[in-house]
Amino acid sequence: MPGIYHQVLRLFYRELLIEFRSKEQLTTMFIFALTTVIIFQFSFEMRTGNVKILIPGVLWISIFLSSILSLNRSFSRDHEENALIGMLSTPLDPLSIYISKVLTTTFLLCALDLILLPIMTILLNSSIFYTNLIPVLILGNIGISATGAIVASTVANTKSRETLLPVILLPLLLPVLLGCVTATGAIIDEKPLQQYGNWIQIVAIYDIIFTFASGLMFHFTIEN
Amino acid sequence: MRNRPEEKPHLNSKPISKLTGFGVITLVLVLISTYMSLVSAPLEAIQGVHQKIFYIHVPLAFIAYASITVVFIASLLFLAKNDSKWDRLARISAEIGILSTTIVLFSGSLWGRPVWGAWWSWSDARLVTTLVMWLIYMGYLMLRSLSKSNSQTVKIASVIGVLGFINVPITYFSVYLWTYLHPLPTLQSSTERPESSILVPFLLSFLAYLAVILVIGIVRTNLEKDFDQLEILKKQVEGNRWE
């Protein structure tokens, strides 16, 4: 049996292959995120006049809600087609399944960011391309994926998984939302790193703690 | 409360059970503490009569946080030892935690209106953290009630019980940092030490509410045990039917 590093790579390749063939998750996420941006634009523009202050919130809410669609699909697909039972019947380490799910979700969210940022720049008429935004986006996406993967795996066994995932996941992600929105706002306002560095640290600490804790407990969610 | 089948014949021979005795003591404690906190404790100089909410709000806040800590420890023990008693304890503590957190949030809001001038303040880390904690553990209870009761559900609920607790300090810290951007509530911190005329009714209220929660906990535990017993009996009946 290959080591965990190879297991993760194989499973990651498997996830990407499924996505490449079906193009299901990324398309749904993108259309949903785009709809969210448009809804926010219509809802708030007339009241504020200044769209720039809305950008951090709109960006992260779009990413958060889109991630729920992706996570739900990723886990329910494995359950529906008994792929998980197939994987578990091999001597795979459950940790490698968790890491591969986190990597795939992070990858898809980063791809979504790449499409969403230029679209938002056009639709909201303000540039949001800043180099400092890259670590914030990556750390935020890892946080969403690390917590999202374990919660999605937890609720995948239940009848009402579509409703339970956002109900349980969103409160758990509050520190990531606060950190990412505040840091993105500071970057767009071109403030110095000292003013938002703490927030990047909080999101990084959250990522480390939740990845570690979830990795330790993931096997409980896929047993039986 | 339903009784276990084997206990039925003994029920009438013990009209006053230990629980009833404890319940009476609890009722007396609640009455005394309510009298002391509402009547004999002095009016606070600045807040006046509104400060009386302190005697219900603070003890229940302690109990709420203690219950959630119990959920965390019991969930960890369940995951480690796979013993259903720990899961039962986690579930009951989560229910008690939700009940006390709900009262804490409502009483805090009622207290905040006259004192801070607002029902709610997003700039108080404790408030926001408590609300987020309430949401997480409501999700935990929803997960348990919306899924089939089996060993897998119990395990996944325990995972959420652990993750929810880990999230509390991170949320508190991030909201605390976030408050630098917002004005702080007017009466957030007080360095004055409470006098004994306030401290005694407070401690008594704390004991009284702790006793109420213990009574609820014991009743709830007995009920859960009865449910387990019922499940076993149902399985036995099913087994006999097939034989």
Side-chain angles (χ1 to χ4, degrees):
Chain A
M1 191 66 196
I4 190 158
Y5 175 71
H6 285 98
Q7 290 178 28
V8 170
L9 276 185
R10 293 262 178 90
L11 288 169
F12 181 50
Y13 175 70
R14 166 192 168 267
E15 297 274 348
L16 289 185
L17 196 64
I18 296 173
E19 182 50 32
F20 179 72
R21 284 178 182 162
S22 66
K23 297 174 189 69
E24 195 179 18
Q25 291 180 56
L26 196 59
T27 321
T28 330
M29 281 162 77
F30 168 64
I31 300 293
F32 183 77
L34 184 65
T35 317
T36 315
V37 172
I38 294 169
I39 286 173
F40 272 101
Q41 163 72 15
F42 278 130
S43 311
F44 293 114
E45 202 221 1
M46 275 181 262
R47 295 284 292 172
T48 61
N50 179 12
V51 184
K52 207 173 174 184
I53 58 165
L54 298 178
I55 290 173
V58 175
L59 174 70
W60 282 102
I61 290 171
S62 308
I63 297 174
F64 267 61
L65 298 180
S66 308
S67 73
I68 289 171
L69 293 184
S70 164
L71 287 161
N72 241 335
R73 195 67 212 113
S74 167
F75 281 86
S76 58
R77 186 172 53 203
D78 283 355
H79 275 268
E80 280 163 15
E81 292 166 21
N82 289 333
L84 190 66
I85 295 173
M87 281 193 279
L88 291 174
S89 61
T90 65
L92 265 177
D93 190 337
L95 183 65
S96 61
I97 301 178
Y98 172 71
I99 298 174
S100 70
K101 289 282 184 194
V102 175
L103 282 178
T104 315
T105 316
T106 310
F107 179 81
L108 288 176
L109 287 174
C110 288
L112 176 73
D113 296 342
L114 278 178
I115 311 169
L116 198 60
L117 288 181
I119 298 272
M120 279 181 73
T121 306
I122 296 166
L123 289 180
L124 304 180
N125 278 319
S126 12
S127 174
I128 36 176
F129 287 101
Y130 296 90
T131 328
N132 291 358
L133 204 57
I134 297 170
V136 180
L137 284 168
I138 293 174
L139 285 173
N141 291 343
I142 293 174
I144 296 170
S145 312
T147 314
I150 191 156
V151 178
S153 171
T154 303
V155 298
N157 273 319
T158 61
K159 275 186 290 181
S160 36
R161 53 176 169 259
E162 285 84 5
T163 37
L164 277 176
L165 180 62
V167 166
I168 298 175
L169 181 61
L170 292 179
L172 281 174
L173 283 175
L174 187 84
V176 180
L177 181 75
L178 271 182
C180 291
V181 168
T182 319
T184 307
I187 291 168
I188 289 174
D189 292 343
E190 294 177 6
K191 287 182 180 162
L193 181 68
Q194 290 84 350
Q195 285 195 21
Y196 62 89
N198 283 341
W199 289 109
I200 298 181
Q201 280 173 9
I202 285 183
V203 180
I205 290 167
Y206 178 98
D207 289 0
I208 294 167
I209 292 175
F210 268 79
T211 312
F212 187 71
S214 307
L216 278 179
M217 291 191 294
F218 185 75
H219 66 99
F220 290 116
T221 66
I222 53 169
E223 278 174 5
N224 297 358
Chain B
M1 199 186 89
R2 283 168 304 158
N3 301 292
R4 269 187 268 176
E6 67 265 29
E7 282 181 355
K8 250 184 184 170
H10 305 284
L11 198 73
N12 293 329
S13 59
K14 278 199 288 180
I16 298 177
S17 68
K18 280 180 190 169
L19 183 63
T20 318
F22 187 49
V24 171
I25 296 171
T26 305
L27 185 68
V28 173
L29 256 175
V30 169
L31 288 173
I32 296 174
S33 71
T34 310
Y35 175 80
M36 282 191 80
S37 52
L38 290 182
V39 181
S40 67
L43 277 184
E44 211 259 348
I46 304 165
Q47 300 181 28
V49 74
H50 306 300
Q51 185 265 346
K52 298 287 184 190
I53 295 175
F54 165 82
Y55 297 105
I56 183 169
H57 179 81
V58 181
L60 280 173
F62 274 119
I63 290 167
Y65 275 88
S67 310
I68 299 308
T69 313
V70 173
V71 178
F72 169 67
I73 296 168
S75 299
L76 269 185
L77 283 170
F78 175 76
L79 289 175
K81 296 189 173 173
N82 207 6
D83 186 344
S84 64
K85 74 174 177 193
W86 296 119
D87 172 62
R88 201 181 297 140
L89 179 66
R91 180 184 194 141
I92 293 160
S93 303
E95 287 173 2
I96 289 172
I98 285 289
L99 175 72
S100 36
T101 311
T102 310
I103 302 172
V104 166
L105 287 172
F106 270 104
S107 59
S109 194
L110 287 175
W111 193 8
R113 179 64 183 166
V115 176
W116 290 349
W119 298 106
W120 186 265
S121 162
W122 287 105
S123 53
D124 190 306
R126 279 170 305 180
L127 241 92
V128 182
T129 310
T130 311
L131 179 66
V132 172
M133 192 178 87
W134 185 88
L135 283 170
I136 291 171
Y137 285 93
M138 274 305 276
Y140 169 87
L141 289 179
M142 275 176 72
L143 174 70
R144 301 197 69 136
S145 61
L146 289 176
S147 15
K148 281 181 197 160
S149 167
N150 57 28
S151 59
Q152 180 63 10
T153 306
V154 172
K155 270 186 191 152
I156 57 181
S158 305
V159 170
I160 299 296
V162 173
L163 285 180
F165 185 81
I166 298 173
N167 194 52
V168 172
I170 309 178
T171 306
Y172 181 84
F173 186 69
S174 51
V175 179
Y176 183 75
L177 194 69
W178 189 62
T179 54
Y180 283 123
L181 306 169
H182 296 261
L184 284 169
T186 44
L187 281 174
Q188 198 205 24
S189 62
S190 166
T191 47
E192 289 170 25
R193 291 173 70 89
E195 291 172 24
S196 62
S197 55
I198 289 176
L199 197 65
V200 173
F202 167 72
L203 289 176
L204 211 62
S205 300
F206 185 75
L207 269 180
Y209 288 116
L210 195 64
V212 171
I213 292 299
L214 277 178
V215 170
I216 296 174
I218 293 166
V219 171
R220 194 70 188 81
T221 310
N222 290 341
L223 195 65
E224 281 290 314
K225 280 182 183 167
D226 287 352
F227 272 127
D228 290 350
Q229 197 72 21
L230 190 68
E231 284 300 312
I232 293 167
L233 287 172
K234 269 185 188 170
K235 276 179 190 159
Q236 279 176 2
V237 171
E238 287 287 312
N240 289 339
R241 197 179 288 167
W242 285 108
E243 280 165 15

